Amino acid sequence: MTETLGILGGGQLGRMLSVAASRLGYRTHIYEPGANPPAGHVADQVTTAPYEDEAALRAFAASVDVITYEFENVPTSALDLLESLKPIRPNRRALATSQDRILEKDFLNGLGIVTAPYASVTDEASLQAAIAKIGTPAILKTTRLGYDGKGQARIKEPAQAAAAWASMQGAPSVLEGFVDFTHEVSVIAARALDGSVACFDPGENVHKDGILRTTTVPAKLTPSQRSDAILIAARILNALDYVGVMGVELFVTSKGLICNEIAPRVHNSGHWTQNGCAVDQFEQHIRAVMGLPLGDGSRHSDVVMENLIGDDVLKVPAILKERHAALHLYGKGAPRPGRKMGHVNRVKP
Amino acid sequence: MTETLGILGGGQLGRMLSVAASRLGYRTHIYEPGANPPAGHVADQVTTAPYEDEAALRAFAASVDVITYEFENVPTSALDLLESLKPIRPNRRALATSQDRILEKDFLNGLGIVTAPYASVTDEASLQAAIAKIGTPAILKTTRLGYDGKGQARIKEPAQAAAAWASMQGAPSVLEGFVDFTHEVSVIAARALDGSVACFDPGENVHKDGILRTTTVPAKLTPSQRSDAILIAARILNALDYVGVMGVELFVTSKGLICNEIAPRVHNSGHWTQNGCAVDQFEQHIRAVMGLPLGDGSRHSDVVMENLIGDDVLKVPAILKERHAALHLYGKGAPRPGRKMGHVNRVKP
């Protein structure tokens, strides 16, 4: 009997995971609260139900062999139930660590990995203390990702502290010092059930308005920076006893690499692997969570990945005619500003 | 609203077509009489019904924008009905031509394309006449593919004629002369709705026991043979007013290229394109039938494709550990002798 992988979340990452699973002969079952998930177009089964629907969660778990996820904000109660029924990979600790900016930075610093300076903020007084410690400019963020859509506030000078704290609407927050970096790279790293680790070549990322725009491989890195980047990623995965693919974002500075954040899942900055490697990040994740050996992650071609965000899809007719351009659309409806509609991998032969 | 492509046939070709359609943002609906089709694991909808079920065919047609097929033996009655409801691409003429070995050879010779010598056989007397014309050794085949599983008979000398004809069980047949060729190549060619044509690099095929084993690109061809191969393919597609991908098999001989057969669909010998080109044969077919411009078919990497047939799947654990090996499994059940279970594309960086 074919094994089935359950995927929590039905967006584009789930969609590309499902396709990769099919290449290895697996079936997939998507669990997604929202109607008409992109991943459902290429899955064997789809459950449309809220994460609070215990019966739906139980039926989902009964139909799969292993559970993974494509996004981090699955409610704890759903994970508690699912974990009692089937293995969840990557594990809960990775998820908990990455969901909380303070836990994450404590964890990284505990491994000797440099991060931006940071301090916990729970009220205006602790924000003032944090500013005194870290200085300005700095940035105030809620500690938990996607926390009711509450955002981030830049603090250029101490006088802006009160307004910044007010904008957090009482949510536990963290003040982070600015990092003077030349560019950002990310390492897409994988760890198998047997503890072996494989990393793809670091990619160089360009963001605009807080959204990834392009990833270029190879990245501008000296040989020693390149091996540092990979060693940092491997240290993180080993420390978490991680199984699956993780995205590790690093700032390149004159004083070395600084870890910006980790994402316990396949990562937008790893989409280039679809056309640059025999085994891409999605298949690598499937291999890891299904207990197969990892591919070695070797790159056979240089690639520039460009995200198609919102009206960028208007470029599709031109992209279709480009030589060596591999288009990946997500089957979403109408483009909206900031909505990731697809990406294109431009391969250098 | 997302457009939906209907695919007749749910085997591995339909499966890989469905994945390619998803990359371009389309949904797919698979129509397949057999239960649990491999393509159904990665499709938006699946209809399991015989080709004689008119209500199911009508509902299928109503749910899709365009219809294509992954295998040639769809009953005429089903195609007649479907064609009255939605466009079928490639067109019926291509299908009719390729389904009948005599029609096919008449068509090719009418275009000035060389084939093996051949003659129609409808009884023992016409077989004797055909042998007198073509000589021996020769091979007797039923004119229609998959005709009740009736097969082929080699005729080494005229005395074997009666037994050969008896083995055809009365089916209309064709006698083909043997061709003295050094190797076989195939051209995977595509033609768009606007009549533009794009060909992938010819691949060199090795068969064993009548089943394709490997395809290697680039093929052993002189520059003039290579352009001959592509011109032959383009002539065929233009003459049929073809829309979609076609596989054109050619024998390489000291006297030039001889056309063996054409397949009006994506073709096993084009699987290498998945890892050698930014736009593979599956996506190229989807582009053509959905009215998009073709990709140019450029190859960014050399590839050797190996089919995994029957117990070849036992090699999977070793293949998973190979560098630059891209594995494609079809999600079928137990391996059986001669059953295509998957393939591996070995990329040369």
Side-chain angles (χ1 to χ4, degrees):
Chain A
M1 186 56 200
T2 320
E3 282 181 286
T4 299
L5 172 64
I7 301 176
L8 302 172
Q12 66 266 18
L13 300 179
R15 178 178 171 99
M16 294 184 277
L17 284 168
S18 188
V19 165
S22 81
R23 282 203 304 272
L24 295 175
Y26 298 118
R27 299 178 191 221
T28 57
H29 186 161
I30 307 295
Y31 194 105
E32 164 65 48
N36 184 26
H41 305 173
V42 284
D44 192 50
Q45 293 177 76
V46 182
T47 293
T48 304
Y51 284 119
E52 292 70 30
D53 184 337
E54 192 178 311
L57 289 169
R58 285 188 184 278
F60 170 75
S63 76
V64 304
D65 298 284
V66 173
I67 296 169
T68 190
Y69 46 88
E70 60 129 39
F71 87 126
E72 295 99 315
N73 291 318
V74 179
T76 301
S77 59
L79 293 170
D80 287 344
L81 174 60
L82 292 172
E83 195 175 34
S84 72
L85 300 167
K86 288 289 159 65
I88 298 182
R89 297 173 188 151
N91 63 37
R92 298 290 298 279
R93 187 181 163 207
L95 206 49
T97 303
S98 71
Q99 279 178 319
D100 185 298
R101 294 182 199 278
I102 293 176
L103 269 187
E104 181 182 276
K105 285 191 164 52
D106 287 348
F107 163 73
L108 293 169
N109 283 276
L111 294 178
I113 295 168
V114 181
T115 65
Y118 64 106
S120 173
V121 172
T122 53
D123 53 24
E124 203 177 324
S126 57
L127 176 55
Q128 291 294 358
I131 290 174
K133 177 181 160 199
I134 290 168
T136 53
I139 186 159
L140 186 64
K141 303 175 178 177
T142 54
T143 58
R144 293 187 69 82
L145 300 170
Y147 195 88
D148 293 338
K150 285 186 211 58
Q152 308 191 350
R154 293 192 178 214
I155 300 178
K156 290 185 189 167
E157 48 188 73
Q160 296 172 321
W165 173 245
S167 74
M168 297 294 114
Q169 297 177 42
S173 299
V174 57
L175 187 73
E176 296 182 5
F178 268 108
V179 173
D180 183 22
F181 62 96
T182 56
H183 53 294
E184 185 202 285
V185 298
S186 55
V187 178
I188 307 300
R191 189 167 175 275
L193 265 181
D194 68 2
S196 58
V197 171
C199 295
F200 293 102
D201 259 4
E204 183 171 335
N205 301 328
V206 174
H207 294 81
K208 195 179 146 193
D209 302 331
I211 302 178
L212 182 68
R213 297 293 160 152
T214 64
T215 300
T216 301
V217 279
K220 278 196 304 287
L221 288 174
T222 64
S224 74
Q225 285 172 327
R226 193 180 166 285
S227 63
D228 277 356
I230 286 167
L231 289 170
I232 286 171
R235 207 183 312 162
I236 293 169
L237 271 66
N238 285 327
L240 290 169
D241 194 18
Y242 194 83
V243 174
V245 160
M246 173 181 279
V248 178
E249 294 182 9
L250 300 166
F251 293 135
V252 182
T253 79
S254 58
K255 292 173 186 164
L257 300 174
I258 290 182
C259 187
N260 179 35
E261 65 177 35
I262 63 176
R265 52 168 169 77
V266 287
H267 197 255
N268 194 165
S269 70
H271 291 359
W272 68 267
T273 58
Q274 294 175 309
N275 298 93
C277 304
V279 174
D280 68 19
Q281 70 163 346
F282 301 98
E283 178 172 335
Q284 195 75 302
H285 186 78
I286 302 296
R287 287 178 177 228
V289 302
M290 296 309 275
L292 297 178
L294 300 178
D296 74 355
S298 298
R299 177 170 55 83
H300 59 66
S301 301
D302 294 356
V303 181
V304 179
M305 188 285 303
E306 179 189 350
N307 269 341
L308 302 176
I309 295 165
D311 282 343
D312 288 349
V313 288
L314 300 175
K315 298 183 204 168
V316 164
I319 292 167
L320 285 167
K321 294 176 184 168
E322 269 184 60
R323 195 168 223 195
H324 296 307
L327 182 64
H328 300 261
L329 295 175
Y330 304 151
K332 296 183 179 177
R336 288 197 302 260
R339 190 178 205 192
K340 289 180 178 174
M341 304 301 293
H343 65 275
V344 55
N345 287 328
R346 295 187 170 90
V347 183
K348 295 181 194 172
Chain B
M1 187 56 200
T2 319
E3 282 183 285
T4 300
L5 173 65
I7 302 176
L8 301 172
Q12 66 267 18
L13 300 179
R15 178 178 171 100
M16 293 184 278
L17 283 169
S18 188
V19 165
S22 81
R23 282 202 304 272
L24 295 176
Y26 298 118
R27 300 179 190 220
T28 58
H29 185 161
I30 308 294
Y31 194 106
E32 163 66 50
N36 184 23
H41 305 173
V42 283
D44 191 52
Q45 293 178 76
V46 183
T47 293
T48 305
Y51 284 120
E52 293 70 30
D53 185 336
E54 194 179 310
L57 290 169
R58 285 187 184 278
F60 171 75
S63 77
V64 304
D65 297 284
V66 173
I67 297 170
T68 191
Y69 45 87
E70 61 129 39
F71 88 126
E72 295 98 316
N73 291 318
V74 179
T76 301
S77 59
L79 293 169
D80 287 343
L81 174 59
L82 292 172
E83 195 175 33
S84 72
L85 300 168
K86 288 290 159 65
I88 298 182
R89 298 173 187 151
N91 62 39
R92 298 288 298 280
R93 187 179 164 208
L95 205 50
T97 303
S98 71
Q99 278 178 321
D100 184 298
R101 294 182 199 279
I102 294 177
L103 268 188
E104 181 181 276
K105 285 192 165 52
D106 287 348
F107 163 73
L108 293 169
N109 283 276
L111 295 178
I113 295 168
V114 181
T115 66
Y118 66 105
S120 172
V121 172
T122 54
D123 53 25
E124 203 176 323
S126 58
L127 177 54
Q128 291 294 358
I131 290 174
K133 177 183 161 198
I134 291 168
T136 54
I139 186 159
L140 187 65
K141 303 175 176 175
T142 55
T143 57
R144 294 187 70 83
L145 301 170
Y147 195 88
D148 294 339
K150 286 186 209 59
Q152 309 191 350
R154 294 190 176 213
I155 300 178
K156 290 184 187 167
E157 46 186 75
Q160 296 173 320
W165 173 244
S167 74
M168 296 294 115
Q169 297 177 44
S173 298
V174 58
L175 187 72
E176 296 181 5
F178 269 107
V179 173
D180 183 22
F181 62 94
T182 55
H183 54 295
E184 186 202 286
V185 298
S186 54
V187 179
I188 306 300
R191 188 167 174 277
L193 265 182
D194 67 3
S196 58
V197 170
C199 295
F200 292 103
D201 258 5
E204 182 171 336
N205 302 327
V206 174
H207 294 81
K208 196 179 145 194
D209 303 330
I211 301 178
L212 181 68
R213 296 292 160 152
T214 64
T215 300
T216 300
V217 280
K220 276 195 306 287
L221 288 174
T222 64
S224 73
Q225 286 172 327
R226 193 180 166 285
S227 62
D228 278 357
I230 286 167
L231 289 170
I232 287 171
R235 208 183 311 162
I236 294 169
L237 271 65
N238 285 328
L240 290 169
D241 195 18
Y242 194 83
V243 174
V245 160
M246 173 181 280
V248 178
E249 293 182 9
L250 301 166
F251 294 135
V252 182
T253 81
S254 57
K255 293 173 184 164
L257 300 173
I258 290 181
C259 187
N260 180 36
E261 65 177 35
I262 62 176
R265 53 169 167 75
V266 288
H267 196 254
N268 194 166
S269 69
H271 291 359
W272 67 268
T273 58
Q274 293 174 308
N275 298 94
C277 304
V279 174
D280 68 19
Q281 69 162 347
F282 302 99
E283 178 174 334
Q284 195 75 301
H285 186 78
I286 302 296
R287 286 176 176 230
V289 304
M290 298 308 275
L292 297 179
L294 300 178
D296 74 355
S298 299
R299 177 171 55 81
H300 59 67
S301 300
D302 294 357
V303 181
V304 178
M305 188 285 304
E306 180 188 351
N307 268 341
L308 301 176
I309 296 165
D311 283 344
D312 288 349
V313 288
L314 299 175
K315 298 182 204 169
V316 163
I319 292 167
L320 285 169
K321 294 176 185 170
E322 269 183 59
R323 195 169 222 196
H324 297 306
L327 182 63
H328 300 261
L329 295 175
Y330 305 152
K332 295 181 178 178
R336 289 196 302 262
R339 189 178 207 193
K340 289 179 179 175
M341 304 301 293
H343 66 274
V344 56
N345 286 328
R346 294 186 171 90
V347 183
K348 296 181 191 170

